[in-house]
Amino acid sequence: MEIINPLCLLTMYCPSLCLAPTSMHSYINPKCSVPIALCLPPMENNQPYECSENNECVHSSWVPNYDVFLNHRGKDVKETVASLIFHNLKNKGLKVFLDKNSIQVGSNIPQVIGDAIYSASIHVVIISANYAESSWCLKELTLIFKTGAPIIPVFCGVEPSELRMKDKDGVYARAFQKHKQSGNFEPHAVEEWRKAFREVSYIKGYIFTGDQGELLEKIATSVAELIGRGKSQPKQKNKETCDNSHII
């Protein structure tokens, strides 16, 4: 069986993002038939990442467990809505991932983010005006959907319908067109981001209207309910299908 790490999918999208060259190795996954650049984390008890015969990737038990992962556009909401949500949930005893507070100096950033996404019980996706400009945000969003964990959208200054990009001259449509024309990403990858972005608009969430206190409490209530539901009906989140859609 071929060694594979299903968690460092951000590095699969852009191998150059891996900040630890000594841990970079290339393997041929016979199930994918495409070379995959992988970031291999330290193995615990000699338990590697493996692709099984039924085409599923299994990881070992070292992955940190987060209750909530905050996906957001930093320049729009990191110091405002994202930070408020982070501190409110943390004060309620939850383990929350927000990049600026959760990534330690010296850490491999793409690997840490990939691990956090994969291990989180709930994902809060904060959509703002400049969200779709960031390929990083869109890559995270795509991985979030692949985990199968619940998503709570928070729409800041935008309406959910805007994500469907019916207006071809809208800010989001222009952002995706720019990604497509940049030549930095494969067309199928940009299309995958577009589908994930559009899908968020169909998930019931919250529209931020300016009342921060009300928003924070609603999110906290929803998170608590979803975590409680997950504990009563635990999901297996230790497998990720290996296919070519992860690779750019």
Side-chain angles (χ1 to χ4, degrees), residues 150-168:
I151 296 172
I152 300 175
V154 178
F155 303 97
C156 293
V158 301
E159 292 292 328
S161 59
E162 294 179 57
L163 279 65
R164 298 163 199 165
M165 292 173 281
K166 293 181 179 179
D167 179 3
K168 302 302 180 183

Side-chain angles (χ1 to χ4, degrees), residues 1-54:
M1 292 186 289
E2 297 293 331
I3 298 175
I4 186 168
N5 174 5
L7 300 179
C8 197
L9 297 178
L10 287 173
T11 305
M12 292 183 186
Y13 279 104
C14 183
S16 63
L17 289 176
C18 186
L19 304 181
T22 57
S23 66
M24 285 288 291
H25 301 278
S26 290
Y27 292 88
I28 298 295
N29 177 356
K31 302 296 184 181
C32 303
S33 69
V34 175
I36 306 175
L38 300 176
C39 232
L40 299 180
M43 292 186 292
E44 207 173 76
N45 300 323
N46 295 319
Q47 296 179 358
Y49 292 82
E50 298 180 333
C51 263
S52 61
E53 293 181 358
N54 61 353

Side-chain angles (χ1 to χ4, degrees), residues 20 38 79 86 92 113-114 129 151 165 178 182 188 212 246:
L38 300 176
E79 302 301 329
F86 172 82
K92 294 182 183 298
I113 291 176
I151 296 172
M165 292 173 281
K178 186 175 180 179
S182 70
H188 72 83
Q212 296 178 349
H246 298 318

Side-chain angles (χ1 to χ4, degrees), residues 67-131:
D67 294 307
V68 181
F69 179 93
L70 297 180
N71 167 254
H72 65 290
R73 180 70 163 114
K75 76 174 187 178
D76 287 351
V77 298
K78 189 184 297 292
E79 302 301 329
T80 54
V81 176
S83 288
L84 288 169
I85 294 173
F86 172 82
H87 289 294
N88 187 56
L89 294 177
K90 186 178 179 182
N91 289 340
K92 294 182 183 298
L94 297 174
K95 188 172 183 180
V96 187
F97 184 94
L98 178 62
D99 50 10
K100 74 167 187 174
N101 299 91
S102 306
I103 301 178
Q104 298 180 354
V105 173
S107 298
N108 183 313
I109 296 173
Q111 180 177 323
V112 171
I113 291 176
D115 294 348
I117 289 173
Y118 200 77
S119 71
S121 299
I122 309 293
H123 299 98
V124 175
V125 175
I126 306 172
I127 303 293
S128 53
N130 298 298
Y131 182 100

Side-chain angles (χ1 to χ4, degrees), residues 160-227:
S161 59
E162 294 179 57
L163 279 65
R164 298 163 199 165
M165 292 173 281
K166 293 181 179 179
D167 179 3
K168 302 302 180 183
D169 294 322
V171 60
Y172 295 136
R174 292 198 304 270
F176 277 98
Q177 188 64 20
K178 186 175 180 179
H179 289 312
K180 185 176 180 179
Q181 294 176 345
S182 70
N184 296 326
F185 313 105
E186 293 291 340
H188 72 83
V190 177
E191 185 58 30
E192 188 176 22
W193 302 347
R194 188 194 303 272
K195 288 179 180 178
F197 188 69
R198 187 183 295 117
E199 187 66 23
V200 174
S201 72
Y202 296 103
I203 301 175
K204 184 176 180 178
Y206 299 104
I207 298 176
F208 179 50
T209 58
D211 189 337
Q212 296 178 349
E214 181 181 10
L215 174 68
L216 294 176
E217 289 311 308
K218 285 182 176 180
I219 292 173
T221 299
S222 294
V223 167
E225 290 176 351
L226 288 170
I227 289 178

